[in-house]
PDB file of all heavy atoms in Angstrom:
ATOM      1  N   GLY A   1      20.142 -23.399  -5.634  1.00 93.00           N
ATOM      2  CA  GLY A   1      18.794 -23.358  -5.316  1.00 93.00           C
ATOM      3  C   GLY A   1      18.491 -23.322  -3.886  1.00 93.00           C
ATOM      4  O   GLY A   1      17.629 -22.439  -3.444  1.00 93.00           O
ATOM      5  N   ASP A   2      19.235 -24.015  -3.008  1.00 95.00           N
ATOM      6  CA  ASP A   2      19.084 -23.901  -1.581  1.00 95.00           C
ATOM      7  C   ASP A   2      19.398 -22.460  -1.114  1.00 95.00           C
ATOM      8  O   ASP A   2      18.723 -21.949  -0.196  1.00 95.00           O
ATOM      9  CB  ASP A   2      19.965 -24.926  -0.901  1.00 95.00           C
ATOM     10  CG  ASP A   2      19.473 -26.374  -1.071  1.00 95.00           C
ATOM     11  OD1 ASP A   2      18.472 -26.566  -1.655  1.00 95.00           O
ATOM     12  OD2 ASP A   2      20.211 -27.370  -0.681  1.00 95.00           O
ATOM     13  N   ALA A   3      20.468 -21.881  -1.689  1.00 97.00           N
ATOM     14  CA  ALA A   3      20.807 -20.577  -1.203  1.00 97.00           C
ATOM     15  C   ALA A   3      19.768 -19.549  -1.483  1.00 97.00           C
ATOM     16  O   ALA A   3      19.433 -18.760  -0.661  1.00 97.00           O
ATOM     17  CB  ALA A   3      22.096 -20.092  -1.970  1.00 97.00           C
ATOM     18  N   VAL A   4      19.013 -19.618  -2.655  1.00 97.00           N
ATOM     19  CA  VAL A   4      17.930 -18.749  -2.992  1.00 97.00           C
ATOM     20  C   VAL A   4      16.831 -18.961  -2.003  1.00 97.00           C
ATOM     21  O   VAL A   4      16.182 -17.968  -1.501  1.00 97.00           O
ATOM     22  CB  VAL A   4      17.380 -19.103  -4.378  1.00 97.00           C
ATOM     23  CG1 VAL A   4      16.190 -18.257  -4.661  1.00 97.00           C
ATOM     24  CG2 VAL A   4      18.411 -18.740  -5.460  1.00 97.00           C
ATOM     25  N   MET A   5      16.613 -20.252  -1.556  1.00 96.00           N
ATOM     26  CA  MET A   5      15.497 -20.509  -0.692  1.00 96.00           C
ATOM     27  C   MET A   5      15.758 -19.956   0.825  1.00 96.00           C
ATOM     28  O   MET A   5      14.890 -19.959   1.582  1.00 96.00           O
ATOM     29  CB  MET A   5      15.343 -22.006  -0.491  1.00 96.00           C
ATOM     30  CG  MET A   5      14.873 -22.696  -1.648  1.00 96.00           C
ATOM     31  SD  MET A   5      13.193 -22.271  -2.037  1.00 96.00           S
ATOM     32  CE  MET A   5      13.267 -22.337  -3.770  1.00 96.00           C
ATOM     33  N   THR A   6      16.971 -19.455   1.052  1.00 97.00           N
ATOM     34  CA  THR A   6      17.275 -18.952   2.439  1.00 97.00           C
ATOM     35  C   THR A   6      16.955 -17.437   2.565  1.00 97.00           C
ATOM     36  O   THR A   6      16.945 -16.957   3.623  1.00 97.00           O
ATOM     37  CB  THR A   6      18.845 -19.131   2.775  1.00 97.00           C
ATOM     38  OG1 THR A   6      19.586 -18.373   1.867  1.00 97.00           O
ATOM     39  CG2 THR A   6      19.249 -20.671   2.696  1.00 97.00           C
ATOM     40  N   GLN A   7      16.679 -16.770   1.338  1.00 97.00           N
ATOM     41  CA  GLN A   7      16.467 -15.424   1.415  1.00 97.00           C
ATOM     42  C   GLN A   7      15.312 -14.878   2.345  1.00 97.00           C
ATOM     43  O   GLN A   7      15.488 -13.946   3.116  1.00 97.00           O
ATOM     44  CB  GLN A   7      16.263 -14.777   0.044  1.00 97.00           C
ATOM     45  CG  GLN A   7      16.288 -13.261  -0.090  1.00 97.00           C
ATOM     46  CD  GLN A   7      14.909 -12.640   0.194  1.00 97.00           C
ATOM     47  OE1 GLN A   7      13.844 -13.298  -0.161  1.00 97.00           O
ATOM     48  NE2 GLN A   7      14.822 -11.499   0.711  1.00 97.00           N
ATOM     49  N   PRO A   8      14.267 -15.632   2.390  1.00 96.00           N
ATOM     50  CA  PRO A   8      13.143 -15.295   3.334  1.00 96.00           C
ATOM     51  C   PRO A   8      13.563 -15.339   4.770  1.00 96.00           C
ATOM     52  O   PRO A   8      13.118 -14.563   5.619  1.00 96.00           O
ATOM     53  CB  PRO A   8      12.014 -16.186   3.028  1.00 96.00           C
ATOM     54  CG  PRO A   8      12.191 -16.507   1.526  1.00 96.00           C
ATOM     55  CD  PRO A   8      13.638 -16.634   1.290  1.00 96.00           C
ATOM     56  N   LEU A   9      14.497 -16.318   5.123  1.00 96.00           N
ATOM     57  CA  LEU A   9      14.993 -16.379   6.435  1.00 96.00           C
ATOM     58  C   LEU A   9      15.773 -14.993   6.745  1.00 96.00           C
ATOM     59  O   LEU A   9      15.677 -14.438   7.876  1.00 96.00           O
ATOM     60  CB  LEU A   9      15.938 -17.530   6.591  1.00 96.00           C
ATOM     61  CG  LEU A   9      16.764 -17.638   7.820  1.00 96.00           C
ATOM     62  CD1 LEU A   9      16.007 -17.734   9.143  1.00 96.00           C
ATOM     63  CD2 LEU A   9      17.893 -18.691   7.765  1.00 96.00           C
ATOM     64  N   LEU A  10      16.568 -14.655   5.795  1.00 96.00           N
ATOM     65  CA  LEU A  10      17.405 -13.355   6.036  1.00 96.00           C
ATOM     66  C   LEU A  10      16.421 -12.176   6.208  1.00 96.00           C
ATOM     67  O   LEU A  10      16.716 -11.310   7.120  1.00 96.00           O
ATOM     68  CB  LEU A  10      18.318 -13.100   4.842  1.00 96.00           C
ATOM     69  CG  LEU A  10      19.294 -14.145   4.362  1.00 96.00           C
ATOM     70  CD1 LEU A  10      20.273 -13.674   3.236  1.00 96.00           C
ATOM     71  CD2 LEU A  10      20.151 -14.666   5.625  1.00 96.00           C
ATOM     72  N   ALA A  11      15.373 -12.123   5.400  1.00 95.00           N
ATOM     73  CA  ALA A  11      14.426 -11.048   5.561  1.00 95.00           C
ATOM     74  C   ALA A  11      13.739 -11.065   6.909  1.00 95.00           C
ATOM     75  O   ALA A  11      13.530 -10.056   7.528  1.00 95.00           O
ATOM     76  CB  ALA A  11      13.318 -11.179   4.431  1.00 95.00           C
ATOM     77  N   ASN A  12      13.506 -12.281   7.387  1.00 93.00           N
ATOM     78  CA  ASN A  12      12.725 -12.456   8.605  1.00 93.00           C
ATOM     79  C   ASN A  12      13.711 -11.999   9.772  1.00 93.00           C
ATOM     80  O   ASN A  12      13.257 -11.331  10.786  1.00 93.00           O
ATOM     81  CB  ASN A  12      12.274 -13.817   8.842  1.00 93.00           C
ATOM     82  CG  ASN A  12      11.435 -14.038   9.988  1.00 93.00           C
ATOM     83  OD1 ASN A  12      11.640 -14.911  10.934  1.00 93.00           O
ATOM     84  ND2 ASN A  12      10.320 -13.254  10.121  1.00 93.00           N
ATOM     85  N   ILE A  13      14.941 -12.384   9.726  1.00 94.00           N
ATOM     86  CA  ILE A  13      15.936 -12.044  10.818  1.00 94.00           C
ATOM     87  C   ILE A  13      15.975 -10.504  10.671  1.00 94.00           C
ATOM     88  O   ILE A  13      16.092  -9.823  11.872  1.00 94.00           O
ATOM     89  CB  ILE A  13      17.306 -12.604  10.442  1.00 94.00           C
ATOM     90  CG1 ILE A  13      17.218 -14.159  10.698  1.00 94.00           C
ATOM     91  CG2 ILE A  13      18.349 -12.123  11.432  1.00 94.00           C
ATOM     92  CD1 ILE A  13      18.477 -14.910  10.147  1.00 94.00           C
ATOM     93  N   LYS A  14      16.054  -9.892   9.609  1.00 94.00           N
ATOM     94  CA  LYS A  14      16.233  -8.430   9.413  1.00 94.00           C
ATOM     95  C   LYS A  14      14.953  -7.705  10.089  1.00 94.00           C
ATOM     96  O   LYS A  14      15.026  -6.682  10.695  1.00 94.00           O
ATOM     97  CB  LYS A  14      16.442  -8.008   7.980  1.00 94.00           C
ATOM     98  CG  LYS A  14      16.953  -6.624   7.830  1.00 94.00           C
ATOM     99  CD  LYS A  14      18.382  -6.502   8.329  1.00 94.00           C
ATOM    100  CE  LYS A  14      18.970  -5.185   8.064  1.00 94.00           C
ATOM    101  NZ  LYS A  14      20.219  -4.885   8.780  1.00 94.00           N
ATOM    102  N   GLU A  15      13.772  -8.392   9.865  1.00 91.00           N
ATOM    103  CA  GLU A  15      12.533  -7.800  10.528  1.00 91.00           C
ATOM    104  C   GLU A  15      12.593  -7.851  11.954  1.00 91.00           C
ATOM    105  O   GLU A  15      12.177  -6.910  12.659  1.00 91.00           O
ATOM    106  CB  GLU A  15      11.326  -8.661  10.032  1.00 91.00           C
ATOM    107  CG  GLU A  15      10.659  -8.120   8.805  1.00 91.00           C
ATOM    108  CD  GLU A  15       9.441  -8.988   8.382  1.00 91.00           C
ATOM    109  OE1 GLU A  15       8.604  -9.368   9.325  1.00 91.00           O
ATOM    110  OE2 GLU A  15       9.187  -9.188   7.237  1.00 91.00           O
ATOM    111  N   GLN A  16      13.141  -8.958  12.533  1.00 90.00           N
ATOM    112  CA  GLN A  16      13.212  -9.147  13.974  1.00 90.00           C
ATOM    113  C   GLN A  16      14.315  -8.214  14.578  1.00 90.00           C
ATOM    114  O   GLN A  16      14.159  -7.647  15.690  1.00 90.00           O
ATOM    115  CB  GLN A  16      13.595 -10.576  14.335  1.00 90.00           C
ATOM    116  CG  GLN A  16      12.495 -11.535  14.145  1.00 90.00           C
ATOM    117  CD  GLN A  16      12.864 -12.990  14.692  1.00 90.00           C
ATOM    118  OE1 GLN A  16      13.248 -13.091  15.802  1.00 90.00           O
ATOM    119  NE2 GLN A  16      12.702 -13.909  13.781  1.00 90.00           N
ATOM    120  N   TYR A  17      15.425  -8.070  13.852  1.00 92.00           N
ATOM    121  CA  TYR A  17      16.525  -7.271  14.326  1.00 92.00           C
ATOM    122  C   TYR A  17      16.987  -6.355  13.307  1.00 92.00           C
ATOM    123  O   TYR A  17      18.053  -6.444  12.679  1.00 92.00           O
ATOM    124  CB  TYR A  17      17.629  -8.261  14.770  1.00 92.00           C
ATOM    125  CG  TYR A  17      17.326  -9.262  15.805  1.00 92.00           C
ATOM    126  CD1 TYR A  17      16.977 -10.609  15.391  1.00 92.00           C
ATOM    127  CD2 TYR A  17      17.324  -8.937  17.087  1.00 92.00           C
ATOM    128  CE1 TYR A  17      16.590 -11.502  16.299  1.00 92.00           C
ATOM    129  CE2 TYR A  17      16.894  -9.897  18.030  1.00 92.00           C
ATOM    130  CZ  TYR A  17      16.543 -11.118  17.655  1.00 92.00           C
ATOM    131  OH  TYR A  17      16.167 -12.132  18.599  1.00 92.00           O
ATOM    132  N   PRO A  18      16.297  -5.205  13.188  1.00 94.00           N
ATOM    133  CA  PRO A  18      16.564  -4.174  12.076  1.00 94.00           C
ATOM    134  C   PRO A  18      17.934  -3.688  12.119  1.00 94.00           C
ATOM    135  O   PRO A  18      18.545  -3.247  11.072  1.00 94.00           O
ATOM    136  CB  PRO A  18      15.459  -3.186  12.250  1.00 94.00           C
ATOM    137  CG  PRO A  18      14.486  -3.620  13.218  1.00 94.00           C
ATOM    138  CD  PRO A  18      15.116  -4.734  13.947  1.00 94.00           C
ATOM    139  N   GLU A  19      18.544  -3.558  13.369  1.00 94.00           N
ATOM    140  CA  GLU A  19      19.865  -2.975  13.532  1.00 94.00           C
ATOM    141  C   GLU A  19      20.947  -4.010  13.198  1.00 94.00           C
ATOM    142  O   GLU A  19      22.084  -3.538  13.142  1.00 94.00           O
ATOM    143  CB  GLU A  19      20.036  -2.327  14.970  1.00 94.00           C
ATOM    144  CG  GLU A  19      18.925  -1.324  15.220  1.00 94.00           C
ATOM    145  CD  GLU A  19      18.865  -0.165  14.422  1.00 94.00           C
ATOM    146  OE1 GLU A  19      19.991   0.332  14.020  1.00 94.00           O
ATOM    147  OE2 GLU A  19      17.798   0.223  13.934  1.00 94.00           O
ATOM    148  N   ALA A  20      20.639  -5.168  13.135  1.00 94.00           N
ATOM    149  CA  ALA A  20      21.687  -6.196  13.080  1.00 94.00           C
ATOM    150  C   ALA A  20      22.384  -6.126  11.641  1.00 94.00           C
ATOM    151  O   ALA A  20      21.719  -5.976  10.643  1.00 94.00           O
ATOM    152  CB  ALA A  20      21.069  -7.633  13.297  1.00 94.00           C
ATOM    153  N   LYS A  21      23.664  -6.439  11.739  1.00 97.00           N
ATOM    154  CA  LYS A  21      24.445  -6.534  10.439  1.00 97.00           C
ATOM    155  C   LYS A  21      24.516  -8.051  10.132  1.00 97.00           C
ATOM    156  O   LYS A  21      24.979  -8.830  10.913  1.00 97.00           O
ATOM    157  CB  LYS A  21      25.818  -5.993  10.635  1.00 97.00           C
ATOM    158  CG  LYS A  21      25.754  -4.500  10.513  1.00 97.00           C
ATOM    159  CD  LYS A  21      27.131  -3.880  10.407  1.00 97.00           C
ATOM    160  CE  LYS A  21      27.160  -2.383  10.204  1.00 97.00           C
ATOM    161  NZ  LYS A  21      28.445  -1.717  10.275  1.00 97.00           N
ATOM    162  N   ILE A  22      23.918  -8.454   8.904  1.00 98.00           N
ATOM    163  CA  ILE A  22      23.949  -9.819   8.617  1.00 98.00           C
ATOM    164  C   ILE A  22      24.999 -10.080   7.587  1.00 98.00           C
ATOM    165  O   ILE A  22      25.000  -9.520   6.490  1.00 98.00           O
ATOM    166  CB  ILE A  22      22.548 -10.240   7.904  1.00 98.00           C
ATOM    167  CG1 ILE A  22      21.442 -10.039   9.038  1.00 98.00           C
ATOM    168  CG2 ILE A  22      22.591 -11.761   7.555  1.00 98.00           C
ATOM    169  CD1 ILE A  22      20.026 -10.122   8.498  1.00 98.00           C
ATOM    170  N   ASP A  23      26.064 -10.931   7.991  1.00 98.00           N
ATOM    171  CA  ASP A  23      27.056 -11.370   7.049  1.00 98.00           C
ATOM    172  C   ASP A  23      26.832 -12.752   6.699  1.00 98.00           C
ATOM    173  O   ASP A  23      26.329 -13.577   7.429  1.00 98.00           O
ATOM    174  CB  ASP A  23      28.450 -11.152   7.658  1.00 98.00           C
ATOM    175  CG  ASP A  23      28.824  -9.730   7.993  1.00 98.00           C
ATOM    176  OD1 ASP A  23      28.097  -8.837   7.502  1.00 98.00           O
ATOM    177  OD2 ASP A  23      29.782  -9.430   8.720  1.00 98.00           O
ATOM    178  N   VAL A  24      27.299 -13.119   5.510  1.00 98.00           N
ATOM    179  CA  VAL A  24      27.193 -14.571   5.019  1.00 98.00           C
ATOM    180  C   VAL A  24      28.499 -15.110   4.583  1.00 98.00           C
ATOM    181  O   VAL A  24      29.286 -14.518   3.901  1.00 98.00           O
ATOM    182  CB  VAL A  24      26.147 -14.555   3.801  1.00 98.00           C
ATOM    183  CG1 VAL A  24      26.078 -15.972   3.252  1.00 98.00           C
ATOM    184  CG2 VAL A  24      24.834 -13.984   4.171  1.00 98.00           C
ATOM    185  N   LEU A  25      28.854 -16.238   5.184  1.00 98.00           N
ATOM    186  CA  LEU A  25      30.013 -17.050   4.735  1.00 98.00           C
ATOM    187  C   LEU A  25      29.558 -17.975   3.697  1.00 98.00           C
ATOM    188  O   LEU A  25      28.756 -18.969   4.006  1.00 98.00           O
ATOM    189  CB  LEU A  25      30.605 -17.743   5.884  1.00 98.00           C
ATOM    190  CG  LEU A  25      31.858 -18.580   5.709  1.00 98.00           C
ATOM    191  CD1 LEU A  25      33.024 -17.809   5.006  1.00 98.00           C
ATOM    192  CD2 LEU A  25      32.268 -19.394   6.950  1.00 98.00           C
ATOM    193  N   ALA A  26      30.060 -17.933   2.526  1.00 97.00           N
ATOM    194  CA  ALA A  26      29.578 -18.738   1.416  1.00 97.00           C
ATOM    195  C   ALA A  26      30.706 -19.193   0.486  1.00 97.00           C
ATOM    196  O   ALA A  26      31.734 -18.511   0.381  1.00 97.00           O
ATOM    197  CB  ALA A  26      28.592 -17.915   0.544  1.00 97.00           C
ATOM    198  N   SER A  27      30.524 -20.392  -0.096  1.00 95.00           N
ATOM    199  CA  SER A  27      31.466 -20.766  -1.194  1.00 95.00           C
ATOM    200  C   SER A  27      31.404 -19.850  -2.311  1.00 95.00           C
ATOM    201  O   SER A  27      30.423 -19.168  -2.537  1.00 95.00           O
ATOM    202  CB  SER A  27      31.106 -22.207  -1.639  1.00 95.00           C
ATOM    203  OG  SER A  27      29.841 -22.154  -2.315  1.00 95.00           O
ATOM    204  N   THR A  28      32.561 -19.739  -3.071  1.00 94.00           N
ATOM    205  CA  THR A  28      32.613 -18.810  -4.245  1.00 94.00           C
ATOM    206  C   THR A  28      31.428 -19.183  -5.211  1.00 94.00           C
ATOM    207  O   THR A  28      30.965 -18.291  -5.893  1.00 94.00           O
ATOM    208  CB  THR A  28      33.928 -18.918  -4.954  1.00 94.00           C
ATOM    209  OG1 THR A  28      34.241 -20.336  -5.157  1.00 94.00           O
ATOM    210  CG2 THR A  28      35.013 -18.372  -4.100  1.00 94.00           C
ATOM    211  N   TRP A  29      30.994 -20.413  -5.148  1.00 92.00           N
ATOM    212  CA  TRP A  29      29.882 -20.879  -6.129  1.00 92.00           C
ATOM    213  C   TRP A  29      28.622 -20.242  -5.827  1.00 92.00           C
ATOM    214  O   TRP A  29      27.844 -19.805  -6.706  1.00 92.00           O
ATOM    215  CB  TRP A  29      29.798 -22.431  -5.990  1.00 92.00           C
ATOM    216  CG  TRP A  29      28.759 -23.060  -6.814  1.00 92.00           C
ATOM    217  CD1 TRP A  29      27.710 -23.840  -6.364  1.00 92.00           C
ATOM    218  CD2 TRP A  29      28.619 -23.019  -8.258  1.00 92.00           C
ATOM    219  NE1 TRP A  29      26.941 -24.236  -7.393  1.00 92.00           N
ATOM    220  CE2 TRP A  29      27.500 -23.869  -8.542  1.00 92.00           C
ATOM    221  CE3 TRP A  29      29.334 -22.380  -9.288  1.00 92.00           C
ATOM    222  CZ2 TRP A  29      27.122 -24.042  -9.868  1.00 92.00           C
ATOM    223  CZ3 TRP A  29      28.957 -22.658 -10.629  1.00 92.00           C
ATOM    224  CH2 TRP A  29      27.879 -23.418 -10.892  1.00 92.00           C
ATOM    225  N   VAL A  30      28.244 -20.069  -4.533  1.00 96.00           N
ATOM    226  CA  VAL A  30      26.894 -19.500  -4.244  1.00 96.00           C
ATOM    227  C   VAL A  30      26.979 -18.013  -3.759  1.00 96.00           C
ATOM    228  O   VAL A  30      25.886 -17.460  -3.586  1.00 96.00           O
ATOM    229  CB  VAL A  30      26.151 -20.295  -3.192  1.00 96.00           C
ATOM    230  CG1 VAL A  30      25.815 -21.728  -3.614  1.00 96.00           C
ATOM    231  CG2 VAL A  30      26.817 -20.388  -1.797  1.00 96.00           C
ATOM    232  N   ALA A  31      28.242 -17.483  -3.539  1.00 96.00           N
ATOM    233  CA  ALA A  31      28.330 -16.098  -3.042  1.00 96.00           C
ATOM    234  C   ALA A  31      27.526 -15.128  -3.880  1.00 96.00           C
ATOM    235  O   ALA A  31      26.904 -14.250  -3.300  1.00 96.00           O
ATOM    236  CB  ALA A  31      29.819 -15.750  -3.029  1.00 96.00           C
ATOM    237  N   PRO A  32      27.373 -15.206  -5.235  1.00 96.00           N
ATOM    238  CA  PRO A  32      26.671 -14.284  -5.939  1.00 96.00           C
ATOM    239  C   PRO A  32      25.112 -14.088  -5.541  1.00 96.00           C
ATOM    240  O   PRO A  32      24.542 -13.077  -5.652  1.00 96.00           O
ATOM    241  CB  PRO A  32      26.717 -14.681  -7.432  1.00 96.00           C
ATOM    242  CG  PRO A  32      28.046 -15.401  -7.437  1.00 96.00           C
ATOM    243  CD  PRO A  32      28.153 -16.125  -6.129  1.00 96.00           C
ATOM    244  N   ILE A  33      24.544 -15.157  -5.099  1.00 97.00           N
ATOM    245  CA  ILE A  33      23.204 -15.182  -4.571  1.00 97.00           C
ATOM    246  C   ILE A  33      23.050 -14.227  -3.461  1.00 97.00           C
ATOM    247  O   ILE A  33      22.145 -13.398  -3.345  1.00 97.00           O
ATOM    248  CB  ILE A  33      22.736 -16.605  -4.188  1.00 97.00           C
ATOM    249  CG1 ILE A  33      22.727 -17.590  -5.288  1.00 97.00           C
ATOM    250  CG2 ILE A  33      21.340 -16.557  -3.519  1.00 97.00           C
ATOM    251  CD1 ILE A  33      21.784 -17.254  -6.427  1.00 97.00           C
TER     252      ILE A  33
END
């Protein structure tokens, strides 16, 4: 649930820095999100 709630943060970072590559380090449990 917390992982889903972070998606708007990712979208906002992408808006601020369109050229940036955003990588995520996640446990195998939440990686599919």
Side-chain angles (χ1 to χ4, degrees):
D2 288 356
V4 174
M5 295 289 148
T6 65
Q7 188 275 329
L9 168 66
L10 305 185
N12 189 236
I13 294 168
K14 198 67 178 169
E15 266 182 40
Q16 287 185 54
Y17 302 97
E19 302 303 313
K21 286 187 174 175
I22 301 172
D23 293 348
V24 178
L25 176 64
S27 68
T28 50
W29 178 239
V30 300
I33 298 299

